[in-house]
């Protein structure tokens, strides 16, 4: 009589979480001599080689500190390799200005960030700092203080517009429904 090949899961494949098989799993040990930790961090055996060492985290960090990407190359070959890799990554150069999310912590809009630039403030400036900078710049660029200066009048209008944007944003943040 043959044994049933039916599993103990009774036909439902997700009784246990993924990776909770009953069979023994093979664990790759660290390739460093004498280490008994699991080796789950791959590292290349040589530059541009498909062969890998598998280290534990501690030995992977030790390996990375001493790794020289240009090992075995003279200065000309190293410069040529660097130039080729920069050429290959040149498509990402145009997105460099994004800087992983840009300035600020994401609480201010793009218009608010532009308004802060007009007032020469950092992205984390408080509203008191904004009000102080606005008063200082408005007093120095006011048309009554500088009559006949078209540039000062234009700057004054930009300062006023920037303050209005920041003031309405602050009112929106501090508004609480009744």
């Amino acid at each position: 009589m043959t044994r049933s090949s039916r599993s103990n899961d009774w036909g439902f494949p997700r009784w246990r979480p993924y990776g909770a098989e009953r069979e023994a799993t093979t664990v790759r040990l660290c390739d460093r001599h004498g280490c008994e930790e699991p080796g789950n961090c791959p590292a290349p055996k040589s530059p541009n080689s498909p062969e890998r060492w598998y280290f534990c985290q501690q030995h992977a960090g030790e390996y990375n500190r001493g790794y020289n990407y240009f090992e075995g190359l003279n200065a000309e070959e190293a410069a040529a390799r660097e130039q080729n890799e920069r050429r290959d990554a040149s498509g990402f150069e145009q997105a460099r200005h994004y800087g992983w999310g840009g300035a600020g912590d994401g609480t201010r809009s793009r218009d608010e960030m532009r308004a802060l630039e007009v007032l020469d403030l950092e992205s984390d400036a408080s509203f008191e700092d904004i009000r102080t900078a606005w008063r200082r710049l408005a007093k120095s660029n006011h048309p009554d203080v500088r009559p006949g200066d078209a540039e000062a009048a234009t700057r004054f209008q930009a300062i006023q517009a920037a303050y209005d944007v920041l003031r309405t944003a602050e009112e929106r943040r501090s508004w609480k429904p009744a």
Side-chain angles (χ1 to χ4, degrees):
M1 181 170 182
T2 60
R3 267 185 91 160
S4 172
S5 62
R6 185 173 181 161
S7 72
N8 291 335
D9 289 336
W10 301 97
F12 298 102
R14 294 190 183 157
W15 279 113
R16 294 186 300 269
Y18 289 113
E21 296 90 18
R22 293 183 181 180
E23 295 82 26
T25 58
T26 56
V27 176
R28 179 187 288 270
L29 292 180
C30 180
D31 284 334
R32 179 54 86 67
H33 179 68
C35 183
E36 297 295 323
E37 296 292 319
N40 50 9
C41 300
K45 288 188 175 182
S46 63
N48 299 325
S49 170
E51 297 177 6
R52 301 279 187 247
W53 298 105
Y54 287 89
F55 295 122
C56 63
Q57 270 192 321
Q58 178 185 358
H59 291 125
E62 194 175 292
Y63 175 82
N64 287 336
R65 277 191 293 276
Y67 187 75
N68 182 4
Y69 183 71
F70 299 108
E71 185 176 359
L73 301 176
N74 61 26
E76 294 172 357
E77 292 171 334
R81 179 180 285 176
E82 183 179 5
Q83 182 181 12
N84 285 340
E85 290 185 5
R86 285 189 188 275
R87 185 188 70 229
D88 293 345
S90 63
F92 299 104
E93 184 69 22
Q94 62 186 344
R96 183 173 47 119
H97 66 276
Y98 288 116
W100 295 99
D105 57 358
T107 58
R108 294 193 187 271
S109 69
R110 184 176 295 147
D111 292 333
E112 291 174 72
M113 295 300 289
R114 287 187 192 128
L116 288 169
E117 286 178 19
V118 169
L119 297 177
D120 295 328
L121 293 171
E122 296 294 322
S123 61
D124 60 345
S126 67
F127 191 69
E128 290 302 317
D129 297 335
I130 292 169
R131 184 177 288 137
T132 305
W134 167 70
R135 285 183 178 162
R136 177 179 46 83
L137 291 171
K139 284 180 183 178
S140 64
N141 291 299
H142 197 278
D144 291 342
V145 175
R146 294 179 155 189
D149 190 357
E151 286 183 25
T154 306
R155 279 194 308 265
F156 180 75
Q157 289 174 349
I159 291 164
Q160 285 298 111
Y163 180 71
D164 288 340
V165 166
L166 292 168
R167 182 177 46 83
T168 56
E170 183 66 23
E171 288 172 357
R172 212 178 12 225
R173 278 191 201 96
S174 62
W175 183 80
K176 293 181 178 128

